[in-house]
Amino acid sequence: ISQASEEHHYKLLFCQILTFFVDNQKQSVPYILKTAVQKMQRFENMRVGVPKLVELSEYSRSHLTRLIRQYYHCTLQELMTKIRLDAAYNEVILSKDSLEDIAYKVGYSSFSHFQKVFKKFFGITPAVLRKTNSMWTI
């Protein structure tokens, strides 16, 4: 395992642990908010982005922003990026779709921007991730 790949796995594990603790705090996430965030994991909703999350939550954008910060400890855009990149990560490894198609599927209109954000988030490019971890490299 390369150092970049190992670092990427630690980052992913850290995100999963953090999400677990945030979701299981004494102060539980309101049902409507939790449901809206879960629905954002659908590709058709990811492509629309923040406006769709506002619509699904039925909160005003400013109230939703406060709730996201309170319960998820990040900004609205950071949460949207995390949702998109988690989905992209799984698609890169589990699907045969082209990387450009995956970028579009999760809501990025610019492939180069997608690659840049993906590498910053995971420490590895989508192409290298696919090459080293894909189910389809056999």
Side-chain angles (χ1 to χ4, degrees):
I1 281 185
S2 72
Q3 184 179 0
S5 179
E6 190 173 309
E7 181 180 317
H8 141 74
H9 287 293
Y10 285 125
K11 284 181 180 180
L12 186 61
L13 179 61
F14 176 73
C15 286
Q16 290 172 338
I17 290 169
L18 185 61
T19 301
F20 173 79
F21 282 112
V22 168
D23 286 347
N24 292 300
Q25 289 179 332
K26 282 184 179 179
Q27 193 178 25
S28 64
V29 178
Y31 177 76
I32 292 173
L33 179 59
K34 187 184 287 189
T35 302
V37 169
Q38 288 171 342
K39 288 180 181 177
M40 285 306 297
Q41 295 172 7
R42 296 181 189 151
F43 294 121
E44 63 271 12
N45 294 336
M46 276 183 229
R47 280 195 297 275
V48 178
V50 172
K52 188 66 176 182
L53 182 55
V54 172
E55 176 189 325
L56 290 169
S57 72
E58 300 177 6
Y59 295 119
S60 70
R61 185 180 176 117
S62 60
H63 188 60
L64 178 61
T65 299
R66 283 190 297 277
L67 291 173
I68 294 295
R69 188 166 300 281
Q70 178 181 354
Y71 292 105
Y72 292 93
H73 309 288
C74 61
T75 67
L76 196 52
Q77 191 58 48
E78 288 169 343
L79 179 65
M80 194 68 246
T81 299
K82 182 185 179 327
I83 290 169
R84 285 177 168 158
L85 291 179
D86 285 345
Y89 181 92
N90 289 330
E91 286 294 302
V92 167
I93 292 175
L94 300 174
S95 80
K96 289 184 179 182
D97 294 346
S98 74
L99 297 176
E100 291 84 359
D101 288 345
I102 292 170
Y104 172 76
K105 192 187 276 191
V106 299
Y108 287 91
S109 56
S110 165
F111 180 65
S112 62
H113 179 64
F114 166 72
Q115 285 183 298
K116 180 181 173 185
V117 173
F118 193 98
K119 181 169 184 174
K120 184 177 179 184
F121 194 81
F122 292 114
I124 189 171
T125 66
V128 172
L129 175 66
R130 175 167 277 174
K131 186 176 181 180
T132 58
N133 294 295
S134 176
M135 291 179 55
W136 305 107
T137 56
I138 298 174

